Amino acid sequence: MADTYTVSRTLVVDAPPERVHAQLADFHRWAAWSPWEDVDPALERSYEGAGSGVGAVYRWSGNRRAGRGRMEITESRPPALVRVDLTFEKPFKAHNDTWFEVVPEGAGSRVTWTMTGRLTVVTRLMGLFSSMDKFLGPDFEKGLQRLKTVSESAAA
């Protein structure tokens, strides 16, 4: 069995790469499209560091489903890439590398969201019932669809 997992999803967005990248590189904008923002209506959020791009930090703490963790943008190459260092503290500890690639496609953008991580005891146990791809993939699809809606409706 592999020691790591990778989850990746892609969606075409009818918005230019610069507009999509702006949504990804600013954690303040994630509430409008992240698939996990609505799992806890009382979710506590805090922002540190840069306002957007490299050095921007987002922390969250919520109910059992939302958990607690931290994200930091470690690389931002407008309009093509945003890389995020993701650490989960609760409900279990995990460290993941997450990135968004934005590639021009016609008048729009092809956005690919990828996350890799090491399989822990908890994720291995989860894997007995479902793969990480099946577990997280639908959330990525939901988030990309929301990102599409937000990016397509955002003012040029």
Side-chain angles (χ1 to χ4, degrees):
M1 181 181 239
D3 287 343
T4 62
Y5 65 89
T6 300
V7 178
S8 188
R9 294 293 189 275
T10 300
L11 185 69
V12 174
V13 176
D14 295 324
E18 296 78 13
R19 193 178 313 160
V20 175
H21 185 274
Q23 295 295 327
L24 300 170
D26 184 346
F27 286 135
H28 297 91
R29 296 183 180 197
W30 282 44
W33 63 266
S34 171
W36 300 294
E37 286 288 326
D38 55 1
V39 298
D40 180 359
L43 188 71
E44 295 177 18
R45 301 169 185 84
S46 66
Y47 304 92
E48 304 168 11
S52 66
V54 175
V57 174
Y58 170 80
R59 293 180 187 272
W60 78 93
S61 182
N63 63 21
R64 206 176 84 185
R65 287 188 60 216
R68 183 175 71 212
R70 178 186 188 275
M71 296 189 290
E72 180 174 354
I73 296 177
T74 57
E75 185 177 1
S76 178
R77 285 189 275 135
L81 177 75
V82 174
R83 185 174 294 274
V84 177
D85 182 66
L86 170 61
T87 303
F88 293 98
E89 298 167 11
K90 287 186 178 183
F92 53 87
K93 293 185 183 295
H95 184 249
N96 301 86
D97 187 22
T98 303
W99 64 94
F100 299 87
E101 293 175 290
V102 184
V103 177
E105 184 157 310
S109 309
R110 183 171 18 104
V111 183
T112 301
W113 184 358
T114 304
M115 182 169 77
T116 62
R118 297 198 66 73
L119 288 169
T120 64
V121 172
V122 173
T123 53
R124 286 182 194 276
L125 286 172
M126 290 168 48
L128 295 174
F129 304 100
S130 179
S131 70
M132 289 302 289
D133 188 77
K134 288 181 182 175
F135 180 71
L136 289 172
D139 288 338
F140 280 29
E141 292 164 10
K142 179 181 177 181
L144 285 170
Q145 189 60 51
R146 287 178 172 185
L147 177 66
K148 174 180 174 69
T149 300
V150 168
S151 296
E152 291 176 355
S153 65

Coordinates of all heavy atoms in Angstrom, one line a residue, residues 108-143:
G108 N -11.7 31.2 -21.4 CA -11.8 30.9 -20.0 C -10.6 30.3 -19.4 O -9.4 30.6 -19.8
S109 N -10.8 29.4 -18.4 CA -9.7 28.8 -17.7 C -10.0 27.4 -17.3 O -11.1 27.1 -17.0 CB -9.4 29.6 -16.4 OG -9.3 31.0 -16.6
R110 N -9.0 26.6 -17.4 CA -9.1 25.2 -16.9 C -8.4 25.2 -15.5 O -7.2 25.5 -15.4 CB -8.5 24.2 -17.8 CG -8.7 22.8 -17.3 CD -8.2 21.7 -18.4 NE -7.3 22.3 -19.4 CZ -6.0 22.1 -19.4 NH1 -5.4 21.4 -18.5 NH2 -5.3 22.7 -20.3
V111 N -9.2 24.9 -14.5 CA -8.7 24.9 -13.1 C -8.6 23.5 -12.6 O -9.5 22.7 -12.6 CB -9.6 25.7 -12.2 CG1 -9.1 25.8 -10.8 CG2 -9.9 27.1 -12.7
T112 N -7.4 23.2 -12.1 CA -7.1 21.9 -11.5 C -6.8 22.1 -10.0 O -5.8 22.8 -9.7 CB -6.0 21.1 -12.2 OG1 -6.4 20.9 -13.6 CG2 -5.8 19.7 -11.6
W113 N -7.5 21.4 -9.1 CA -7.3 21.4 -7.7 C -6.7 20.1 -7.3 O -7.3 19.1 -7.5 CB -8.6 21.7 -7.0 CG -8.6 21.9 -5.5 CD1 -7.5 21.8 -4.7 CD2 -9.7 22.2 -4.7 NE1 -7.9 22.0 -3.4 CE2 -9.3 22.3 -3.4 CE3 -11.1 22.4 -5.0 CZ2 -10.1 22.5 -2.3 CZ3 -11.9 22.6 -3.9 CH2 -11.4 22.7 -2.6
T114 N -5.5 20.1 -6.7 CA -4.8 18.9 -6.3 C -4.4 19.0 -4.9 O -4.0 20.0 -4.4 CB -3.6 18.6 -7.2 OG1 -4.0 18.6 -8.6 CG2 -2.9 17.3 -6.9
M115 N -4.5 17.8 -4.2 CA -4.0 17.7 -2.8 C -3.3 16.4 -2.6 O -3.8 15.4 -3.1 CB -5.1 17.8 -1.8 CG -4.6 17.8 -0.3 SD -5.9 18.2 0.9 CE -6.9 16.7 0.9
T116 N -2.1 16.5 -2.0 CA -1.4 15.2 -1.7 C -1.2 15.2 -0.2 O -1.1 16.3 0.5 CB 0.0 15.2 -2.4 OG1 0.8 16.3 -2.0 CG2 -0.2 15.2 -3.9
G117 N -1.0 14.0 0.4 CA -0.8 13.9 1.8 C -0.3 12.5 2.1 O -0.4 11.6 1.3
R118 N 0.3 12.4 3.3 CA 0.7 11.1 3.8 C -0.5 10.4 4.4 O -1.3 11.0 5.1 CB 1.8 11.3 4.8 CG 3.1 11.9 4.1 CD 4.3 11.7 5.0 NE 4.8 10.3 5.0 CZ 5.4 9.7 4.0 NH1 5.5 10.2 2.9 NH2 5.8 8.4 4.2
L119 N -0.5 9.1 4.2 CA -1.5 8.3 4.8 C -1.2 8.1 6.3 O -0.1 7.7 6.6 CB -1.7 6.9 4.1 CG -2.3 7.0 2.8 CD1 -2.2 5.6 2.1 CD2 -3.8 7.4 2.9
T120 N -2.1 8.5 7.2 CA -1.9 8.4 8.6 C -2.7 7.2 9.1 O -3.4 6.6 8.3 CB -2.4 9.6 9.3 OG1 -3.8 9.8 9.1 CG2 -1.6 10.9 8.8
V121 N -2.6 6.9 10.3 CA -3.4 5.8 10.9 C -4.9 6.1 10.6 O -5.7 5.2 10.1 CB -3.2 5.6 12.4 CG1 -4.2 4.6 13.0 CG2 -1.8 5.2 12.7
V122 N -5.4 7.3 10.8 CA -6.8 7.7 10.6 C -7.1 7.5 9.1 O -8.2 6.9 8.8 CB -7.1 9.1 11.1 CG1 -8.5 9.5 10.8 CG2 -6.9 9.1 12.6
T123 N -6.3 8.1 8.2 CA -6.7 8.0 6.8 C -6.6 6.6 6.3 O -7.3 6.2 5.4 CB -5.8 9.0 6.0 OG1 -4.4 8.7 6.2 CG2 -6.1 10.4 6.3
R124 N -5.7 5.8 6.8 CA -5.7 4.4 6.4 C -6.9 3.6 6.9 O -7.5 2.8 6.1 CB -4.4 3.7 7.0 CG -3.1 4.0 6.3 CD -2.0 3.3 6.9 NE -0.7 3.8 6.6 CZ -0.1 3.5 5.4 NH1 -0.6 2.7 4.6 NH2 1.1 4.1 5.2
L125 N -7.4 3.9 8.1 CA -8.7 3.4 8.6 C -9.8 3.8 7.7 O -10.7 3.0 7.3 CB -8.9 3.7 10.0 CG -8.1 3.0 11.0 CD1 -8.3 3.6 12.4 CD2 -8.4 1.5 11.0
M126 N -9.8 5.1 7.3 CA -10.9 5.6 6.4 C -10.8 4.9 5.1 O -11.8 4.6 4.5 CB -10.7 7.1 6.2 CG -11.1 7.9 7.5 SD -10.6 9.7 7.4 CE -11.2 10.2 5.8
G127 N -9.6 4.6 4.7 CA -9.4 3.9 3.4 C -9.9 2.5 3.4 O -10.2 1.9 2.3
L128 N -10.2 1.9 4.5 CA -10.8 0.6 4.5 C -12.3 0.6 4.0 O -12.8 -0.4 3.5 CB -10.8 0.0 6.0 CG -9.4 -0.3 6.5 CD1 -9.6 -0.7 8.0 CD2 -8.7 -1.4 5.7
F129 N -12.9 1.8 4.2 CA -14.3 2.0 3.8 C -14.4 2.7 2.5 O -15.4 2.5 1.7 CB -15.0 2.7 4.9 CG -14.9 2.0 6.2 CD1 -14.0 2.4 7.2 CD2 -15.7 0.8 6.5 CE1 -13.9 1.7 8.4 CE2 -15.6 0.1 7.7 CZ -14.7 0.6 8.6
S130 N -13.5 3.6 2.2 CA -13.5 4.4 1.0 C -12.2 5.0 0.7 O -11.4 5.3 1.7 CB -14.6 5.6 1.2 OG -14.7 6.4 0.1
S131 N -11.8 5.3 -0.5 CA -10.5 5.9 -0.8 C -10.6 7.4 -0.5 O -11.7 8.0 -0.4 CB -10.2 5.7 -2.3 OG -11.1 6.5 -3.1
M132 N -9.4 8.0 -0.3 CA -9.4 9.4 -0.1 C -10.0 10.1 -1.3 O -10.6 11.2 -1.2 CB -7.9 9.9 0.2 CG -7.4 9.4 1.5 SD -8.4 10.0 2.9 CE -8.1 11.7 2.9
D133 N -9.8 9.6 -2.5 CA -10.3 10.2 -3.7 C -11.9 10.2 -3.6 O -12.5 11.3 -3.9 CB -9.9 9.5 -5.0 CG -10.3 10.2 -6.2 OD1 -9.6 11.2 -6.6 OD2 -11.3 9.8 -6.8
K134 N -12.4 9.1 -3.2 CA -13.9 9.1 -3.1 C -14.4 9.9 -1.9 O -15.5 10.5 -2.0 CB -14.4 7.7 -2.9 CG -14.3 6.9 -4.2 CD -14.8 5.5 -4.1 CE -14.6 4.7 -5.4 NZ -15.0 3.3 -5.2
F135 N -13.6 10.0 -0.9 CA -13.9 10.8 0.3 C -13.9 12.3 0.0 O -14.8 13.1 0.4 CB -13.0 10.4 1.5 CG -13.3 11.2 2.7 CD1 -14.4 10.9 3.5 CD2 -12.4 12.1 3.2 CE1 -14.7 11.6 4.7 CE2 -12.6 12.8 4.4 CZ -13.8 12.5 5.1
L136 N -12.8 12.8 -0.6 CA -12.6 14.2 -0.8 C -13.0 14.7 -2.2 O -13.3 15.9 -2.4 CB -11.1 14.6 -0.6 CG -10.6 14.5 0.8 CD1 -9.1 14.7 0.8 CD2 -11.3 15.6 1.6
G137 N -13.0 13.8 -3.2 CA -13.3 14.2 -4.6 C -14.6 15.0 -4.7 O -14.6 16.0 -5.4
P138 N -15.7 14.5 -4.1 CA -16.9 15.3 -4.2 C -16.9 16.7 -3.6 O -17.5 17.6 -4.2 CB -17.9 14.4 -3.5 CG -17.4 13.0 -3.6 CD -15.9 13.2 -3.5
D139 N -16.1 16.9 -2.6 CA -15.9 18.2 -2.0 C -15.1 19.1 -3.0 O -15.5 20.3 -3.2 CB -15.1 18.1 -0.7 CG -16.0 17.6 0.4 OD1 -17.2 17.6 0.3 OD2 -15.4 17.1 1.4
F140 N -14.1 18.5 -3.6 CA -13.4 19.3 -4.6 C -14.3 19.7 -5.8 O -14.2 20.8 -6.3 CB -12.2 18.5 -5.2 CG -11.0 18.5 -4.3 CD1 -11.1 18.6 -2.9 CD2 -9.7 18.3 -4.8 CE1 -9.9 18.6 -2.1 CE2 -8.6 18.3 -4.0 CZ -8.7 18.4 -2.7
E141 N -15.1 18.8 -6.2 CA -16.1 19.1 -7.3 C -17.0 20.2 -6.9 O -17.3 21.1 -7.7 CB -16.8 17.8 -7.7 CG -15.9 16.8 -8.4 CD -16.5 15.4 -8.4 OE1 -17.7 15.2 -8.1 OE2 -15.8 14.4 -8.7
K142 N -17.5 20.1 -5.7 CA -18.4 21.1 -5.2 C -17.7 22.5 -5.1 O -18.3 23.5 -5.5 CB -19.0 20.7 -3.8 CG -19.9 21.7 -3.1 CD -20.3 21.2 -1.8 CE -21.2 22.1 -1.0 NZ -21.5 21.6 0.3
G143 N -16.5 22.5 -4.6 CA -15.7 23.7 -4.5 C -15.4 24.3 -5.8 O -15.6 25.5 -6.0

